[in-house]
Amino acid sequence: MRRRTRTPAAPLPQRDGIDPVRVRLPEDPDGVWATVGGHLLDRYAGAIGAGRVAAMLREGRFVGVDGVAVDGGEPYAAGRYLWFHREFPDEERVPFEVEVVYRDERIVVVDKPHFLATMPRGRHVTETALARLRRDLGLPELQPAHRLDRLTAGLVLFVVRPEDRGAYQTLFRDRAVRKAYEAVAPYDPGLALPATVRSRIEKERGVLAAREVPGEPNAESRVELLVSQGGLARYRLVPVTGRTHQLRVHMNALGLPILNDPLYPVVREDGPEDFGRPLQLLARSLVFTDPFSGEPRRFLSRRPLNGLG
């Protein structure tokens, strides 16, 4: 049996809590690339422009396993590893803090604010919970065990050591973590609750909103009424499955769109963040049995929801 070659450690440190990008030069049976620079230009010119790639080579931004800058004229060698730091987009700081709920040698549980992405994606890179926590806690290997939508606040479990991450991710994959959310939405006295909502939800890449389609259900949520006040109410939402935007889609399907939702029922035009109108959806609790100690774990978010939290 062929043994896998171990990936070498990155020779570059993190920058602002973000790992360097690793590149492995692919096989080139047709001899398309005579030099390393030729491949990098083909690979990245479409994203950042040929001039920027050339400038990064001149500035020594690409390095090899020894941390020494790569000369673009070096002969191409398939399988070679390179690293570089991407250029971060300009990001407006999310004016809310990540609160640490619990920390030990294996895990960090935090109460994430609205508007802050869990981990780097798209135009949100340094303004993410992961980058902030790595910097603030001095934990460069920290990784999330699961993901919480950027617009949703509440509890997120992070793992301190890479070798422990799989065990905690398996809990989420096997639905061994009991998660409960709370939301503020319109109150409908004629709606019989509690109720279980089942439907088929699909989310297309590049399309902001998910949608319900005919077919075998792949999403299930339980909706309970907690308290009503005037025309609004606070609900407890328990997802059985984990489809993208599932709770938001199911609440909208009940005629109870979550307060300040920019996608359901109507997709609003993209624009500056309105930090004064957060989506009123909160990951309130996480309950599970620790895979290492066997201890029961129960964590609660302390964040309020629009005066009804």
Side-chain angles (χ1 to χ4, degrees):
M1 186 168 76
R2 187 176 179 181
R3 299 180 65 181
R4 294 183 61 184
T5 302
R6 187 173 182 177
T7 303
L12 294 176
Q14 290 178 353
R15 183 157 61 99
D16 290 333
I18 304 299
D19 293 323
V21 177
R22 185 183 71 231
V23 180
R24 190 169 190 263
L25 302 185
E27 296 296 327
D28 183 23
D30 298 326
V32 174
W33 302 296
T35 64
V36 172
H39 171 74
L40 294 174
L41 281 167
D42 282 353
R43 187 166 186 156
Y44 294 113
I48 63 175
R52 189 66 206 125
V53 177
M56 290 176 67
L57 284 164
R58 289 195 304 270
E59 295 163 4
R61 298 275 297 277
F62 296 95
V63 305
V65 293
D66 53 5
V68 175
V70 172
D71 187 316
E74 293 180 30
Y76 186 84
R80 183 179 181 183
Y81 286 99
L82 307 177
W83 286 262
F84 69 95
H85 278 293
R86 58 177 147 170
E87 296 181 331
F88 301 148
D90 292 332
E91 298 179 64
E92 182 181 8
R93 188 181 190 280
V94 175
F96 311 111
E97 300 306 319
V98 183
E99 298 179 11
V100 176
V101 174
Y102 175 83
R103 177 181 177 181
D104 63 22
E105 71 279 3
R106 294 188 188 274
I107 62 174
V108 177
V109 180
V110 305
D111 213 346
K112 185 186 79 67
H114 294 99
F115 300 103
L116 191 69
T118 300
M119 58 191 299
R121 187 177 184 183
R123 68 178 186 268
H124 305 286
V125 181
T126 57
E127 273 302 286
T128 59
L130 178 62
R132 283 195 189 181
L133 289 167
R134 282 176 169 179
R135 296 191 305 262
D136 297 347
L137 302 181
L139 297 174
E141 295 186 309
L142 194 72
Q143 290 285 351
H146 62 118
R147 182 179 294 180
L148 192 63
D149 282 350
R150 186 179 70 86
L151 297 183
T152 304
L155 298 176
V156 186
L157 170 66
F158 289 82
V159 183
V160 175
R161 302 182 297 202
E163 62 267 29
D164 296 338
R165 190 184 186 200
Y168 290 100
Q169 285 182 313
T170 298
L171 293 179
F172 287 90
R173 184 198 67 195
D174 294 347
R175 301 177 186 172
V177 179
R178 298 194 298 280
K179 297 184 288 184
Y181 293 69
E182 291 181 12
V184 174
Y187 174 56
D188 181 357
L191 185 64
L193 294 176
T196 297
V197 184
R198 298 182 183 90
S199 68
R200 185 167 191 84
I201 296 177
E202 292 185 357
K203 174 73 166 61
E204 298 179 22
R205 183 182 293 274
V207 178
L208 293 177
R211 60 194 180 96
E212 291 182 302
V213 298
E216 183 70 21
N218 62 1
E220 180 177 334
S221 309
R222 181 174 174 81
V223 180
E224 304 170 7
L225 176 65
L226 294 177
V227 62
S228 63
Q229 180 178 320
L232 295 176
R234 181 160 54 92
Y235 299 88
R236 183 173 186 264
L237 313 178
V238 180
V240 177
T241 54
R243 310 299 297 185
T244 299
H245 296 178
Q246 174 180 316
L247 296 175
R248 297 162 68 181
V249 170
H250 280 167
M251 287 293 283
N252 185 58
L254 290 173
L256 306 174
I258 297 174
L259 199 65
N260 300 335
D261 196 323
L263 298 180
Y264 309 95
V266 178
V267 177
R268 298 178 195 160
E269 292 186 13
D270 196 16
E273 297 279 18
D274 185 351
F275 294 121
R277 290 176 54 84
L279 173 72
Q280 292 299 290
L281 178 62
L282 175 72
R284 178 66 79 186
S285 65
L286 284 177
V287 180
F288 60 92
T289 299
D290 191 277
F292 293 97
S293 68
E295 296 179 26
R297 304 281 199 179
R298 184 173 185 267
F299 302 106
L300 292 175
S301 168
R302 295 186 291 268
R303 294 186 182 274
L305 280 177
N306 199 49
L308 295 175

